[in-house]
Amino acid sequence: MMHRLKHGLLQAAGWLFYLTLLMGLASLLPTSTFDSESKNFIFLIGAVGIWRYSMGATHFVRGMIFLYIVYPHLRRKLRKLGKAADPSHVFLMVTSFRIDAHTTAQVYQSVIREAIECGFPTTVVCSLVEMSDELLVKSLWERMNPPERVTLDFVRIAGTGKRDGLAFGFRAISRHLPDERAVVAVIDGDTVLSEGVVRRTVPWFQLFDNVGGLTTNEFCEVRGGYIMSEWHKLRFAQRHINMCSMALSKRVLTMTGRMSVFRADVVTDAGFIADVENDSLEHWRLGRFRFLTGDDKSSWYSLMRLGYDTFYVPDAAIHTVEHPPEKSFIKSSRKLMYRWYGNNLRQNSRALGLGIRRLGVFTSVVLFDQRVSMWTSLLGLTVALIASFKYGIEFILAYLLWIGITRLILTILLACSGHSIGPAYPAILYYNQIVGALMKIYVFFRLDRQSWTRQDTKLSRDLASFQGWFNTWSSRTMTFSAGSIFVAVLMTMV
């Protein structure tokens, strides 16, 4: 009780400080800024963000329609199916590598509990590297004593990356010869399942004949400081709304590695396994290179290529344990952005290549927006800085006030997602916008450079000395050229 009261008081103090800061900024501006007939009218500063705000508003409206109107209707239809929606067999496949024993115990305890309580014939498939993890799972298995319909299957692999772990696990499931009504849940080694998550996810494949995979809502426990914790929670709140928006078209854009559920027909398909295990890209400048990370994007692309739809179950929740790769928030967030945005951009161009007929109009627009958002996100700040340098400091002050107000509104809207919000969210939203855009630009010209954050694994391409030199310097040249052209065009316009 005292902890909740203290947390509530800190939250209230944070919001009070933020609102005071906004009022302080407003008091520094000339009165003409708030005159709707003035050329300096504050809301004109946001005109350069019309595209970005319209995309955000569209996602929000679509997300709310799905969450509060469409999904409840679909859930009622699913309940009417009753036992007809039950799968013939459930496989719960967990991949673990270099995760602390306490987290591993939490994860497998939740997985075994779900296997027992779901009521379906279930096989728990453990894709493991270390013997210590196998001993831990066996100990939990003996203690929880599952019924005979629940079985255990170990897959021991070398520590060569998550893609290999997934592929070996999929092949192990293939050897069980699952039928067309069987489903496979792919679970990360730091994902704790909420009670009832299996029963909430597996029946959807009988309602939707063409859905090949679906993913779930995420909440997190962060082993780090306050800002890092709020940063992750904000990301999951935004993810929830975007997932709901894309689920309206059955075009969820990623099969989240933390927990996604697939038809067994999909994960035992040789083409799908090859896509996950050996995905690669042929780049006009950087040559061909394998994907080290981004198995969630590869699985999504493979589903699209094979002709399947994708879905999102908002009331099926999982809890992830997040371990920041660095103690510093700046360093950790940059490392994670580098990995996430790289995965996104590597899949983006070839996903667009599937065409509007396969993806649909809205999904194609969203994928296109992912490519241009790295520049549109920087537009407002760049224009404000140029205008302040040429005409006066009030432009940057007005811009900051605009950012403060709009990010406050966005934060309030995020409360509709069902995720909690905090006073640090407006500042973190803007941090993500600017630093995220810079990281996207950096990664966009270096798509071949990849590394994991949890394990010390990097992509080694063994390029000839000239090819390596060319890739490095052409990436630097193109980054500098693109940035220079962007600034020059805006300076001309201002």
Side-chain angles (χ1 to χ4, degrees), residues 52-273:
R52 289 186 52 253
Y53 289 122
S54 63
M55 283 299 299
T58 303
H59 271 306
F60 179 79
V61 171
R62 284 171 55 94
M64 294 303 102
I65 290 172
F66 175 81
L67 187 60
Y68 295 111
I69 300 174
V70 174
Y71 182 75
H73 170 69
L74 293 173
R75 174 60 80 182
R76 287 191 294 271
K77 286 181 66 177
L78 184 66
R79 287 190 183 125
K80 288 179 182 178
L81 292 179
K83 292 284 186 182
D86 290 352
S88 60
H89 200 97
V90 175
F91 294 88
L92 302 178
M93 191 181 88
V94 188
T95 55
S96 298
F97 181 47
R98 289 188 178 171
I99 297 171
D100 65 274
H102 176 68
T103 302
T104 301
Q106 282 183 291
V107 170
Y108 279 99
Q109 190 170 5
S110 73
V111 170
I112 297 168
R113 182 202 69 229
E114 282 299 293
I116 295 170
E117 294 181 357
C118 73
F120 307 125
T122 306
T123 301
V124 178
V125 181
C126 308
S127 184
L128 303 172
V129 175
E130 289 134 341
M131 176 60 75
S132 59
D133 287 341
E134 183 173 334
L135 295 174
L136 176 59
V137 173
K138 286 180 177 178
S139 174
L140 286 169
W141 190 267
E142 290 177 9
R143 195 179 77 197
M144 298 180 75
N145 191 26
E148 287 187 8
R149 63 173 174 78
V150 181
T151 56
L152 183 64
D153 189 3
F154 286 105
V155 181
R156 292 293 300 277
I157 62 169
T160 51
K162 186 180 175 184
R163 287 181 179 272
D164 289 340
L166 291 171
F168 276 81
F170 292 157
R171 292 190 183 102
I173 292 170
S174 300
R175 290 192 287 273
H176 287 269
L177 303 176
D179 62 27
E180 61 181 14
R181 290 179 65 90
V183 297
V184 179
V186 180
I187 303 159
D188 212 352
D190 56 3
T191 300
V192 180
L193 306 187
S194 296
E195 289 189 20
V197 70
V198 171
R199 291 200 68 89
R200 286 192 179 96
T201 52
V202 297
W204 289 99
F205 295 100
Q206 302 309 315
L207 182 66
F208 299 126
D209 293 338
N210 201 49
V211 167
L214 57 83
T215 193
T216 52
N217 196 359
E218 290 187 36
F219 297 85
C220 64
E221 173 193 339
V222 182
R223 306 283 169 84
Y226 172 76
I227 297 297
M228 178 56 71
S229 177
E230 293 294 284
W231 186 68
H232 275 285
K233 290 173 183 176
L234 168 63
R235 174 174 166 261
F236 286 134
Q238 291 178 300
R239 170 191 179 275
H240 182 55
I241 290 176
N242 287 339
M243 288 284 192
C244 287
S245 170
M246 299 310 299
L248 200 59
S249 308
K250 294 191 184 70
R251 286 292 182 275
V252 174
L253 293 180
T254 181
M255 289 292 98
T256 310
R258 299 304 178 83
M259 181 181 173
S260 292
V261 187
F262 301 86
R263 293 183 184 274
D265 287 350
V266 171
V267 302
T268 56
D269 182 276
F272 181 84
I273 296 174

Side-chain angles (χ1 to χ4, degrees), residues 30-49:
T31 55
S32 65
T33 304
F34 305 98
D35 179 2
S36 61
E37 295 181 0
S38 168
K39 292 180 181 178
N40 298 336
F41 183 50
I42 185 173
F43 293 107
L44 290 179
I45 297 172
V48 293

Side-chain angles (χ1 to χ4, degrees), residues 413-485:
L413 291 176
L414 284 174
C416 299
S417 69
H419 289 243
S420 61
I421 60 173
Y425 278 26
I428 298 173
L429 276 168
Y430 190 60
Y431 172 84
N432 284 347
Q433 177 186 328
I434 300 304
V435 177
L438 293 172
M439 290 303 299
K440 282 181 183 178
I441 292 169
Y442 182 84
V443 171
F444 182 74
F445 296 109
R446 296 162 180 82
L447 294 176
D448 59 328
R449 292 176 58 179
Q450 308 163 61
S451 65
W452 283 102
T453 48
R454 182 182 295 135
Q455 56 202 67
D456 188 21
T457 308
K458 294 186 177 182
L459 181 68
S460 177
R461 299 181 62 195
D462 299 321
L463 297 173
S465 56
F466 173 76
Q467 185 65 50
W469 175 88
F470 174 78
N471 285 0
T472 299
W473 282 99
S474 63
S475 294
R476 291 174 181 175
T477 303
M478 293 192 73
T479 307
F480 179 77
S481 300
S484 300
I485 292 170

